[in-house]
Amino acid sequence: MTTTGRRRALGQHFLRDPGVTRAIVDVASLTPADLCVEIGPGEGALTFRLAQHAGRLLALEVDEALIAALRPRLASLPHVELRHADARRFEYTTLPALRPSPGGRVVVVGNLPYSVSKPILERLVEARTAISEIVLTLQKEVAERVAAAPGGKRYGALSVLTQLYCEARVAMTIPPGAFRPSPKVDSAVLHLKVLPAPRVSVADEGNFARVVKAAFGQRRKNLANALAGGLGAPVLMARQWLLDAGIDPVRRGETLSLEEFSRLNSFACPDPDGKMKGLKR
Ligand code: SAM
């Protein structure tokens, strides 16, 4: 593959604005007690600044050519390790043991390629018990979807399933000109702080995710129809779950708060005898 082809495939839009790189690193508020994990160091725009503040830095990069160019530049920094790894498959549960101090945090920072930002974000949320904070530069629209409040068109399954476990905010937006080459759209820095416990009680997390995805699966339908379609249940049954949870069945998924999804989940939960056939798909 040519360098241009590889750059496009790996979403390589490098940060070129020192003011922006400084502002991103500031969001992470790193200390010498912290382990920072950088996803996709590329040419090192964020790496050297992160290394100034973190007690230890582990940088994960898939592109061997970039690794070969960056490694000698990092050689004088013994607390920095550059690893050839795919952030979609990395074993994040190993991270707490690598902290320079037991009281330190594990902070993941990355300017992510747009094409893999969602799977990487989902993987990080899945690995949340090993992570304290996440600072990701993403397509602005995706960052806004994650941090969205109920009621708007950006609020969806990604918002609910992230905010269940994390406090989410868009820390800043970044114009295309801050990158080389410039992407076609604006970017934003998403700051996630992992909560000590899920925001609302969820008895069966797998079922919760299925219910939430079904609620947003057919956004133009009311909740009873969307749940019935998404979970393969009769509409009357879906209607009854909603009524039992105190939710009007003609509402739409995007109006439900996390508390309401939690309530709905306890009624739309399949019973242990499996009587509600077709629900647990
Ligand atoms: N951090 C650099 C910067 O801000 O200039 C580079 C950012 S660039 C948008 C994304 C980087 O992630 C590239 O270096 C790319 O090779 C790397 N990358 C792409 N997919 C990856 C993956 N699955 N795991 C780890 N790194 C990846």
Side-chain angles (χ1 to χ4, degrees):
M1 197 188 285
T2 61
T3 304
T4 316
R6 196 181 66 236
R7 294 218 150 152
R8 206 168 291 139
L10 293 175
Q12 293 174 344
H13 295 279
F14 299 113
L15 276 162
R16 57 189 283 271
D17 182 327
V20 172
T21 54
R22 196 176 313 118
I24 295 172
V25 174
D26 284 352
V27 173
S29 305
L30 293 163
T31 74
D34 296 333
L35 167 71
C36 177
V37 177
E38 186 187 3
I39 297 179
E43 295 176 341
L46 289 167
T47 318
F48 291 91
R49 276 188 202 284
L50 293 169
Q52 279 170 8
H53 300 281
R56 187 167 182 181
L57 174 63
L58 173 61
L60 310 175
E61 174 59 64
V62 272
D63 185 336
E64 295 196 47
L66 287 176
I67 292 176
L70 187 56
R71 198 180 292 289
R73 296 173 57 215
L74 293 170
S76 62
L77 301 172
H79 66 303
V80 178
E81 182 190 346
L82 178 56
R83 224 184 267 183
H84 184 221
D86 185 329
R88 286 168 297 184
R89 286 181 265 284
F90 185 74
E91 195 44 80
Y92 294 92
T93 48
T94 58
L95 294 176
L98 303 180
R99 284 171 301 173
S101 141
R105 300 168 306 156
V106 174
V107 182
V108 178
V109 179
N111 168 18
L112 298 189
Y114 290 164
S115 56
V116 289
S117 58
K118 226 181 119 203
I120 291 177
L121 173 64
E122 285 170 353
R123 182 108 172 95
L124 293 174
V125 173
E126 233 176 74
R128 63 192 171 272
T129 52
I131 297 171
S132 317
E133 294 193 31
I134 302 169
V135 179
L136 298 180
T137 303
L138 308 162
Q139 199 172 334
K140 181 170 168 243
E141 189 232 318
V142 176
E144 286 178 348
R145 276 169 50 204
V146 175
K153 67 175 174 22
R154 297 245 189 260
Y155 183 67
L158 194 59
S159 334
V160 175
L161 297 175
T162 310
Q163 292 175 31
L164 174 62
Y165 304 111
C166 305
E167 187 187 306
R169 72 176 180 116
V170 175
M172 59 192 262
T173 58
I174 309 177
F179 303 90
R180 172 185 40 85
S182 297
K184 291 199 174 68
V185 294
D186 283 337
S187 302
V189 177
L190 175 71
H191 186 191
L192 301 177
K193 285 188 185 176
V194 178
L195 297 165
R199 202 179 290 273
V200 291
S201 84
V202 171
D204 176 340
E205 296 187 10
N207 192 66
F208 184 84
R210 280 190 292 276
V211 169
V212 169
K213 284 178 186 163
F216 289 106
Q218 295 154 293
R219 293 182 81 112
R220 265 175 286 163
K221 291 194 173 174
N222 69 38
L223 263 171
N225 286 324
L227 288 176
L231 297 170
V235 179
L236 276 180
M237 185 182 279
R239 233 183 99 74
Q240 194 55 52
W241 296 333
L242 287 156
L243 292 173
D244 289 345
I247 298 166
D248 185 341
V250 300
R251 282 173 63 186
R252 292 182 193 247
E254 64 260 33
T255 67
L256 257 60
S257 65
L258 267 158
E259 287 74 17
E260 289 174 311
F261 271 116
S262 162
R263 272 202 329 263
L264 174 59
N265 185 49
S266 48
F267 291 99
C269 203
D271 65 322
D273 305 330
K275 278 184 235 136
M276 294 178 187
K277 286 209 185 326
L279 178 62
K280 216 169 187 180
R281 294 197 304 179

